Amino acid sequence: MDPMVRFQDVHKSFGAVEVLKGITLDVPRGDVVVLVGRSGSGKSTALRCINGLETVNGGELHVCGEKLHDGKTDLRKLRQEVGIVFQSYNLFPHLTVEQNVTLAPRKVMKVGAKEAKELAAHVLAQVGLSEKAQSYPEQLSGGQQQRVAIARSLAMKPKLMLFDEVTSALDPELTGEVLRVIERLAQDGMTMVLVTHEMGFARGVADQIVFMHHGKVWERGGAEMLRAPQTPELQQFVATDL
Amino acid sequence: MGYEFDFSFLSEYAPDLWRGVWLTLWMTVVSIVPGFVLGTLCAIGRIYGSPPVRRVATIYVEAIRNTPLVIQVFWLFFGLAVLGARLDAFTAAVIALSINVGAYTAEIMRAGFESIPRGQREAASCLALSGPQRVLYVELPQAVERVYPALVSQFILMMLATSIMSQISAEELTGVAYQIQSFTFRGFEAYLVTAGIYLVLVTMLRLTLHGVALAAFPRRRRLGTPL
């Protein structure tokens, strides 16, 4: 079976700065791939390429069987299949939690009002926030807002979920409640690509860990890779984490 | 100097004042809606439009904001008449006011749109909303909410600006007041009363727009923040 995501020698530059210097990487269906690395290593950029938030300059990127960035990719179609959750939640502040969750299903997938409500109830239960349906985002804690953002993405029934440092703005306690939701998704078989600084979490949830350095895939492997790094760069990275 | 204040003429001219009040109110209400729509479209055009659209919107906004309203309405009423396009005073007044308030609204709304964090746009696009859907459901409500007090001020200024429409023979409140003082020579009383009526009208408009906000932005109401 085709992998969900396939990077083949992908290059990306911002002006004169080359951020991705030839990434080759497969994300098999049902797998959880965690990208780790220092700030500026290109891991967020690689993630954002997957749903077309960044365009690639060279190489090939296939997502859900479609080749991206040949200039005629239907981004709206792609984004119905690929959900993304951001570090800064980006909930719509003028809408209730329920409205946040149902907006895209109703307007994009043309789901009826009643069905949308049921859908919202279902995904909010998944993230443990059923009782907050009528609240506004600013009435919620950061962890709760992030869980709503996850529910909002899930409501589109994506085949692939991207998480871009989703716990970096949260304190340890709130980080835990968000990570538990992601773990449950992983157990349910959702294909996911995560960028995170939570090494313990990465070890626990990842089928594959990818260490990025200077815009390249420097080292990759299973969870055990972090315990026995091959390259001095990863050794140093793991050491500073502890 | 024995000037005796005398407001007794009021009862005689009450029906005229009443007509003037209605015309002022009507002109204001009829101009706010198209002015708001025009200004919002212009703001969207200036931000998201193609270069020609942006240029047209910019020329409109700058041309209107840098010329006097009274000249704009004179041009519509007297100027176009020369070419044979004769508008009645009310129509000319409403068109001029809409176009005028539209230009100011465009700038206010542009500020509103531009103040929305980039992440909002990104989140909306990542949920597969189309460009127009994103603007309509995500950006527009937030933009209006952010600049609402400025919009209210602008609409109130517009209500006060209807007072120049007597210059093209629209007998709104100021026009009526002018006539009363010219018949009775009671300028002090007539204009004092007129000012009082404007005060009441503006207060009513302010309260109405506050009510509109309560209905339009339930979040504020829920959080108990006074607008």
Side-chain angles (χ1 to χ4, degrees):
Chain A
M1 201 158 61
D2 275 353
M4 190 71 87
V5 182
R6 167 163 279 176
F7 285 88
Q8 283 172 307
D9 194 29
V10 168
H11 290 258
K12 167 71 187 174
S13 303
F14 292 113
V17 185
E18 194 173 34
V19 185
L20 300 182
K21 300 172 182 162
I23 302 281
T24 300
L25 178 68
D26 276 1
V27 180
R29 283 164 204 266
D31 268 17
V32 177
V33 173
V34 178
L35 307 180
V36 299
R38 290 200 180 75
S39 301
S41 60
K43 53 195 193 310
S44 274
T45 305
L47 188 86
R48 289 164 63 88
C49 284
I50 298 175
N51 78 340
L53 273 175
E54 306 292 352
T55 54
V56 305
N57 307 124
E60 284 192 9
L61 175 55
H62 295 260
V63 179
C64 300
E66 297 275 333
K67 184 180 168 201
L68 288 203
H69 312 312
D70 53 1
K72 50 183 191 292
T73 316
D74 184 349
L75 284 180
R76 289 191 66 199
K77 188 165 162 287
L78 172 75
R79 287 169 181 172
Q80 289 181 49
E81 303 186 330
V82 182
I84 185 166
V85 182
F86 302 96
Q87 179 180 343
S88 50
Y89 334 133
N90 297 345
L91 294 180
F92 305 132
H94 61 298
L95 300 178
T96 63
V97 164
E98 184 179 77
Q99 290 167 333
N100 263 278
V101 172
T102 55
L103 179 66
R106 293 195 61 180
K107 302 304 173 191
V108 178
M109 303 197 298
K110 310 292 179 197
V111 169
K114 187 166 164 285
E115 205 182 325
K117 250 182 133 60
E118 288 164 9
L119 181 62
H122 176 71
V123 292
L124 287 174
Q126 255 182 297
V127 299
L129 286 172
S130 301
E131 77 287 0
K132 296 292 185 189
Q134 302 309 321
S135 302
Y136 283 89
E138 62 197 69
Q139 295 169 310
L140 305 180
S141 73
Q144 290 171 331
Q145 290 191 47
Q146 194 58 291
R147 281 147 67 198
V148 172
I150 294 172
R152 184 173 68 173
S153 277
L154 290 177
M156 294 295 279
K157 303 198 165 83
K159 295 179 182 158
L160 167 66
M161 287 281 287
L162 310 175
F163 294 87
D164 190 3
E165 298 192 29
V166 293
T167 58
S168 300
L170 301 173
D171 65 40
E173 194 182 340
L174 300 179
T175 296
E177 68 184 46
V178 172
L179 295 185
R180 275 193 294 281
V181 167
I182 298 175
E183 269 165 11
R184 217 169 306 135
L185 280 176
Q187 284 158 15
D188 292 346
M190 176 68 78
T191 312
M192 301 195 278
V193 182
L194 296 95
V195 169
T196 186
H197 292 292
E198 301 286 332
M199 289 304 144
F201 172 69
R203 271 196 294 271
V205 79
D207 294 300
Q208 189 183 170
I209 295 178
V210 176
F211 173 62
M212 291 188 61
H213 189 67
H214 289 323
K216 288 182 173 158
V217 173
W218 208 258
E219 199 172 330
R220 79 176 97 195
E224 73 288 347
M225 175 182 96
L226 294 179
R227 272 189 290 274
Q230 303 297 306
T231 57
E233 287 79 6
L234 182 55
Q235 273 165 18
Q236 204 184 350
F237 179 72
V238 174
T240 47
D241 180 57
L242 298 172
Chain B
M1 280 288 297
Y3 184 85
E4 301 254 325
F5 295 109
D6 179 6
F7 290 89
S8 59
F9 66 88
L10 277 178
S11 56
E12 188 188 336
Y13 288 97
D16 300 286
L17 281 170
W18 209 208
R19 268 195 300 279
V21 165
W22 274 115
L23 193 60
T24 294
L25 266 181
W26 194 227
M27 250 180 214
T28 306
V29 172
V30 172
S31 305
I32 282 179
V33 175
F36 174 72
V37 172
L38 181 65
T40 302
L41 289 176
C42 254
I44 293 169
R46 283 187 88 175
I47 298 173
Y48 297 116
S50 59
V53 170
R54 279 211 294 268
R55 207 163 308 131
V56 169
T58 305
I59 289 169
Y60 156 64
V61 168
E62 294 309 326
I64 296 299
R65 293 199 316 150
N66 295 298
T67 52
L69 172 61
V70 67
I71 298 299
Q72 293 161 15
V73 71
F74 278 179
W75 182 79
L76 266 174
F77 187 69
F78 299 116
L80 288 187
V82 173
L83 303 182
R86 208 169 156 80
L87 300 173
D88 67 83
F90 180 78
T91 310
V94 164
I95 293 176
L97 287 168
S98 302
I99 290 177
N100 187 269
V101 82
Y104 288 95
T105 301
E107 281 303 88
I108 295 172
M109 286 301 291
R110 187 162 71 119
F113 279 109
E114 285 176 351
S115 72
I116 297 172
R118 201 182 63 149
Q120 291 287 309
R121 248 161 244 159
E122 225 168 65
S125 321
C126 285
L127 286 165
L129 292 170
S130 68
Q133 286 175 334
R134 188 191 71 208
V135 170
L136 190 59
Y137 301 118
V138 175
E139 296 184 46
L140 181 60
Q142 294 190 57
V144 176
E145 195 172 353
R146 279 159 182 262
V147 299
Y148 199 76
L151 286 177
V152 170
S153 302
Q154 196 60 53
F155 295 152
I156 283 167
L157 284 173
M158 196 200 71
M159 177 182 248
L160 297 177
T162 58
S163 61
I164 66 162
M165 294 308 168
S166 55
Q167 299 281 316
I168 58 164
S169 76
E171 287 304 305
E172 40 64 54
L173 185 53
T174 302
V176 172
Y178 180 79
Q179 284 192 351
I180 294 174
Q181 73 86 29
S182 69
F183 289 139
T184 63
F185 300 103
R186 290 284 174 185
F188 184 93
E189 293 91 334
Y191 287 124
L192 188 66
V193 168
T194 305
I197 296 175
Y198 272 114
L199 195 62
V200 171
L201 289 180
V202 165
T203 306
M204 278 166 47
L205 179 63
R206 218 178 257 286
L207 289 174
T208 307
L209 292 174
H210 180 69
V212 170
L214 288 182
F217 313 129
R219 167 167 76 121
R220 299 251 167 221
R221 197 172 57 213
R222 188 83 69 86
L223 298 172
T225 316
L227 250 169

